[in-house]
């Protein structure tokens, strides 16, 4: 064999296993020192001694962009869980939330009619500055109306049809004349 392959053909150990281990340990990288690091191509690793490949970073980015985020309406901003009942008043305020930032929101709640032959109606309204929230005169509808005759609680989801400003009040109203309507488990969610 020629000169270039002389080392490959040589059976003599040039360093001991102990020396190789010491040398390799000096080269290991950490979060506090530079050195040699092993690459990792997964997006689930929690290793602090391995580095992500460009492919792993791209896979993680793609997952974030394509929907591994919270779905619309899943981020809860505020809750009002207690059951609220009303008598024979119309356009009665049942629950209210103060909006923490501008935008459209989703409100979910449970609603039921008070007895056989009655109809429960609910809608979202926004308070008008200087208006009275006990009457519809001081509010503006910002969602469709939900109607049921069920005397068992039904899950209701109402989306706002307009943006609302930070600090404004979102109201769950019971609308029109109905003997007794109950609302509970209300959530204000980002939409």
């Amino acid at each position: 064999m020629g000169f270039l392959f002389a080392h490959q053909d040589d059976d003599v150990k040039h360093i001991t296993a102990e020396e190789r281990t010491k040398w390799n340990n000096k080269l290991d990288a950490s979060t506090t020192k530079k050195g040699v690091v092993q690459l990792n191509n997964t997006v689930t690793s929690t290793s602090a001694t391995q580095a992500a490949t460009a492919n792993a970073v791209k896979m993680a980015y793609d997952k974030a962009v394509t929907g591994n985020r919270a779905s619309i309406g899943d981020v809860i901003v505020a809750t009002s869980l207690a059951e609220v009942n009303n008598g024979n008043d119309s356009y009665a305020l049942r629950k209210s939330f103060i909006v923490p930032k501008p935008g459209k929101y989703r409100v979910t709640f449970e609603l039921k009619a008070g007895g056989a032959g009655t109809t429960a109606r609910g809608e979202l309204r926004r308070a008008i500055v200087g208006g009275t929230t006990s009457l519809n005169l001081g509010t503006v509808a910002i969602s469709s109306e939900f109607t049921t005759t069920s005397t068992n609680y039904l899950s209701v989801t109402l989306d706002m049809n307009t943006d609302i400003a930070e600090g404004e009040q979102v109201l769950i109203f019971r609308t029109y004349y109905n003997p007794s309507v109950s609302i509970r488990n209300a959530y204000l969610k980002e939409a």
Side-chain angles (χ1 to χ4, degrees), residues 76-140:
I76 297 171
V77 177
T79 62
S80 180
L81 303 178
E83 182 178 70
V84 178
N85 303 305
N86 70 288
N88 293 332
D89 52 349
S90 63
Y91 283 99
L93 170 62
R94 296 297 118 218
K95 301 269 186 183
S96 69
F97 299 103
I98 302 297
V99 174
K101 63 183 181 183
K104 290 182 181 174
Y105 289 83
R106 169 175 287 170
V107 177
T108 61
F109 56 95
E110 294 175 337
L111 174 78
K112 73 174 181 176
T118 64
T119 301
R121 294 180 173 95
E123 71 179 358
L124 301 181
R125 300 184 75 82
R126 84 192 303 167
I128 297 172
V129 176
T132 174
T133 58
S134 62
L135 301 171
N136 65 331
L137 302 174
T139 65
V140 174

Side-chain angles (χ1 to χ4, degrees), residues 1-2 5 34 36 50 65 85 94 106 117 133 140 188:
M1 290 274 161
F5 300 104
K34 61 184 177 179
V36 177
Q50 297 177 337
V65 169
N85 303 305
R94 296 297 118 218
R106 169 175 287 170
T133 58
V140 174
L188 177 69

Side-chain angles (χ1 to χ4, degrees), residues 9 14 16 18 28 58 61 67 71 88 91 99 108 116 121 124 126 133 139 145 153-154 165-166 170 172 184:
D9 294 337
H14 297 279
T16 66
E18 184 182 336
D28 285 346
K58 173 82 167 79
Y61 172 80
S71 299
N88 293 332
Y91 283 99
V99 174
T108 61
R121 294 180 173 95
L124 301 181
R126 84 192 303 167
T133 58
T139 65
E145 181 183 74
Y153 275 107
L154 297 178
E166 178 180 348
V170 175
I172 302 176
R184 69 179 184 192

Side-chain angles (χ1 to χ4, degrees), residues 63-64 67-76 190-191:
K63 281 186 177 190
N68 281 358
R69 298 176 279 180
S71 299
I72 291 174
D74 283 349
V75 179
I76 297 171
E190 290 183 358

